[in-house]
Amino acid sequence: QVQLVESGGGLVQAGASLRLSCVASGRTFSSYNMGWFRQAQGKEREFVAVISRSGGMRQHADSVWGRFTISRDNAKNTVYLQMNSLKSEDTATYYCAAATDYCSDYGCYDYWGQGTQVTVSS
């Protein structure tokens, strides 16, 4: 069992930066691939980024490539999402999730956080 708690969301202007954090409970954090997803109001949940257990592999969605960066610190049981050059279309609830597979499909993920809201004003 893994419990995930996100933080770091907020209201910012376009062009600003935010860093989201997701802290995992338990001693098995390094056993999981970690992903970030987002869901805008009225839209389906979409993949943002995934990082492998060791951090050696990363993948970002085309929509955020070059602006967002996923990273992790296994000693702190934490995964991060650094978001730069934010746009109004990045407005959404952001969720972190844990999976045994390295995967960009939300169906692969076994555990989810409660989400943190990011709102970007233009």
Side-chain angles (χ1 to χ4, degrees):
Q1 189 79 9
V2 177
Q3 292 185 329
L4 304 171
V5 179
E6 302 98 333
S7 62
L11 171 63
V12 297
Q13 291 188 332
S17 298
L18 280 175
R19 188 176 79 157
L20 305 183
S21 300
C22 172
V23 179
S25 64
R27 301 181 180 178
T28 59
F29 177 71
S30 60
S31 299
Y32 291 94
N33 301 285
M34 298 299 297
W36 284 98
F37 291 77
R38 66 186 182 186
Q39 187 166 18
Q41 194 168 6
K43 296 187 177 182
E44 292 187 352
R45 191 166 299 191
E46 66 169 342
F47 167 76
V48 175
V50 59
I51 189 166
S52 63
R53 295 178 181 86
S54 67
M57 293 192 297
R58 310 180 198 193
Q59 180 183 352
H60 299 82
D62 289 346
S63 59
V64 306
W65 191 88
R67 299 187 299 122
F68 291 12
T69 303
I70 190 171
S71 63
R72 67 189 295 164
D73 185 338
N74 285 345
K76 295 182 178 180
N77 281 12
T78 303
V79 61
Y80 304 99
L81 185 68
Q82 178 66 45
M83 305 187 296
N84 299 328
S85 303
L86 282 160
K87 305 175 181 180
S88 57
E89 51 263 44
D90 295 318
T91 295
T93 301
Y94 284 72
Y95 299 89
C96 72
T100 54
D101 295 330
Y102 181 77
C103 180
S104 60
D105 185 339
Y106 71 83
C108 294
Y109 287 78
D110 303 306
Y111 303 101
W112 292 84
Q114 83 290 347
T116 185
Q117 178 67 35
V118 172
T119 303
V120 184
S121 63
S122 58

Short mmCIF file of all heavy atoms in Angstrom, two decimals, residues 14 22 26 30 32 40 48 50 68 76-77 79 83 86 91 102 110-111:
data_model
loop_
_atom_site.label_atom_id
_atom_site.label_comp_id
_atom_site.label_asym_id
_atom_site.label_seq_id
_atom_site.Cartn_x
_atom_site.Cartn_y
_atom_site.Cartn_z
N ALA A 14 0.58 33.64 -16.23
CA ALA A 14 1.24 32.99 -17.36
C ALA A 14 2.71 33.40 -17.41
O ALA A 14 3.06 34.55 -17.16
CB ALA A 14 0.54 33.38 -18.66
N CYS A 22 5.27 15.46 -4.44
CA CYS A 22 4.40 14.35 -4.06
C CYS A 22 5.20 13.44 -3.13
O CYS A 22 6.21 12.85 -3.56
CB CYS A 22 3.94 13.58 -5.30
SG CYS A 22 3.05 12.06 -4.95
N GLY A 26 5.45 4.84 3.30
CA GLY A 26 5.94 3.48 3.15
C GLY A 26 7.40 3.43 2.75
O GLY A 26 8.01 4.43 2.41
N SER A 30 10.87 3.39 -3.86
CA SER A 30 11.81 3.14 -4.95
C SER A 30 11.43 1.93 -5.80
O SER A 30 12.05 1.69 -6.84
CB SER A 30 13.22 2.96 -4.40
OG SER A 30 13.26 1.86 -3.52
N TYR A 32 8.54 1.72 -7.24
CA TYR A 32 7.49 2.17 -8.14
C TYR A 32 8.00 3.19 -9.16
O TYR A 32 8.80 4.06 -8.84
CB TYR A 32 6.34 2.81 -7.36
CG TYR A 32 5.56 1.82 -6.54
CD1 TYR A 32 5.87 1.59 -5.20
CD2 TYR A 32 4.50 1.11 -7.10
CE1 TYR A 32 5.15 0.67 -4.45
CE2 TYR A 32 3.78 0.20 -6.35
CZ TYR A 32 4.12 -0.02 -5.04
OH TYR A 32 3.40 -0.92 -4.29
N ALA A 40 -8.18 18.77 -16.47
CA ALA A 40 -8.85 20.07 -16.52
C ALA A 40 -10.35 19.87 -16.40
O ALA A 40 -10.87 18.80 -16.72
CB ALA A 40 -8.50 20.78 -17.81
N VAL A 48 1.12 13.50 -18.09
CA VAL A 48 2.04 14.62 -18.11
C VAL A 48 3.49 14.13 -18.18
O VAL A 48 4.25 14.55 -19.05
CB VAL A 48 1.86 15.53 -16.87
CG1 VAL A 48 2.91 16.63 -16.86
CG2 VAL A 48 0.45 16.12 -16.85
N VAL A 50 6.37 10.70 -16.65
CA VAL A 50 6.65 9.49 -15.88
C VAL A 50 8.15 9.39 -15.67
O VAL A 50 8.93 9.83 -16.51
CB VAL A 50 6.10 8.23 -16.58
CG1 VAL A 50 6.72 8.05 -17.96
CG2 VAL A 50 6.31 6.99 -15.73
N PHE A 68 8.24 21.40 -18.62
CA PHE A 68 8.08 20.66 -17.37
C PHE A 68 9.19 19.61 -17.25
O PHE A 68 9.61 19.03 -18.26
CB PHE A 68 6.74 19.93 -17.32
CG PHE A 68 5.53 20.82 -17.22
CD1 PHE A 68 5.59 22.20 -17.41
CD2 PHE A 68 4.28 20.25 -16.95
CE1 PHE A 68 4.46 22.99 -17.32
CE2 PHE A 68 3.15 21.04 -16.85
CZ PHE A 68 3.24 22.41 -17.04
N LYS A 76 14.04 10.74 -0.04
CA LYS A 76 12.98 11.54 0.56
C LYS A 76 11.59 11.04 0.20
O LYS A 76 10.59 11.69 0.53
CB LYS A 76 13.13 13.00 0.14
CG LYS A 76 14.40 13.67 0.64
CD LYS A 76 14.46 15.13 0.22
CE LYS A 76 15.72 15.80 0.75
NZ LYS A 76 15.79 17.23 0.35
N ASN A 77 11.51 9.92 -0.51
CA ASN A 77 10.21 9.38 -0.93
C ASN A 77 9.37 10.43 -1.65
O ASN A 77 8.15 10.51 -1.45
CB ASN A 77 9.43 8.85 0.29
CG ASN A 77 9.89 7.48 0.74
OD1 ASN A 77 10.93 7.00 0.30
ND2 ASN A 77 9.13 6.85 1.61
N VAL A 79 8.54 12.67 -5.37
CA VAL A 79 8.65 12.94 -6.80
C VAL A 79 8.22 14.38 -7.03
O VAL A 79 7.33 14.89 -6.34
CB VAL A 79 7.80 11.95 -7.63
CG1 VAL A 79 6.32 12.03 -7.28
CG2 VAL A 79 8.03 12.16 -9.11
N MET A 83 7.57 23.01 -13.18
CA MET A 83 6.78 23.54 -14.28
C MET A 83 7.21 24.98 -14.54
O MET A 83 7.06 25.85 -13.68
CB MET A 83 5.28 23.50 -13.93
CG MET A 83 4.80 22.11 -13.52
SD MET A 83 3.01 22.03 -13.30
CE MET A 83 2.80 23.14 -11.93
N LEU A 86 4.60 28.59 -17.58
CA LEU A 86 3.23 28.09 -17.50
C LEU A 86 2.29 28.87 -18.41
O LEU A 86 2.45 30.08 -18.62
CB LEU A 86 2.73 28.15 -16.06
CG LEU A 86 3.26 27.03 -15.16
CD1 LEU A 86 3.15 27.39 -13.70
CD2 LEU A 86 2.51 25.73 -15.46
N THR A 91 -3.79 24.93 -16.75
CA THR A 91 -4.71 24.95 -15.62
C THR A 91 -5.41 23.60 -15.50
O THR A 91 -6.03 23.12 -16.45
CB THR A 91 -5.75 26.06 -15.80
OG1 THR A 91 -5.08 27.33 -15.74
CG2 THR A 91 -6.80 26.01 -14.70
N TYR A 102 6.46 0.87 -16.14
CA TYR A 102 6.85 2.19 -16.66
C TYR A 102 5.88 2.49 -17.79
O TYR A 102 5.97 1.90 -18.87
CB TYR A 102 8.29 2.13 -17.15
CG TYR A 102 8.81 3.45 -17.67
CD1 TYR A 102 9.20 4.46 -16.80
CD2 TYR A 102 8.94 3.68 -19.04
CE1 TYR A 102 9.69 5.66 -17.27
CE2 TYR A 102 9.43 4.88 -19.52
CZ TYR A 102 9.80 5.87 -18.63
OH TYR A 102 10.29 7.07 -19.12
N ASP A 110 -1.54 2.16 -9.93
CA ASP A 110 -2.25 1.50 -8.85
C ASP A 110 -2.65 2.45 -7.73
O ASP A 110 -3.64 2.21 -7.03
CB ASP A 110 -1.36 0.40 -8.25
CG ASP A 110 -0.93 -0.62 -9.29
OD1 ASP A 110 -1.81 -1.17 -9.97
OD2 ASP A 110 0.28 -0.84 -9.44
N TYR A 111 -1.85 3.47 -7.52
CA TYR A 111 -2.08 4.37 -6.40
C TYR A 111 -2.07 5.81 -6.90
O TYR A 111 -1.25 6.17 -7.75
CB TYR A 111 -1.00 4.19 -5.32
CG TYR A 111 -0.91 2.77 -4.81
CD1 TYR A 111 0.09 1.92 -5.26
CD2 TYR A 111 -1.85 2.29 -3.91
CE1 TYR A 111 0.17 0.62 -4.80
CE2 TYR A 111 -1.78 0.98 -3.45
CZ TYR A 111 -0.77 0.15 -3.90
OH TYR A 111 -0.72 -1.14 -3.44
#
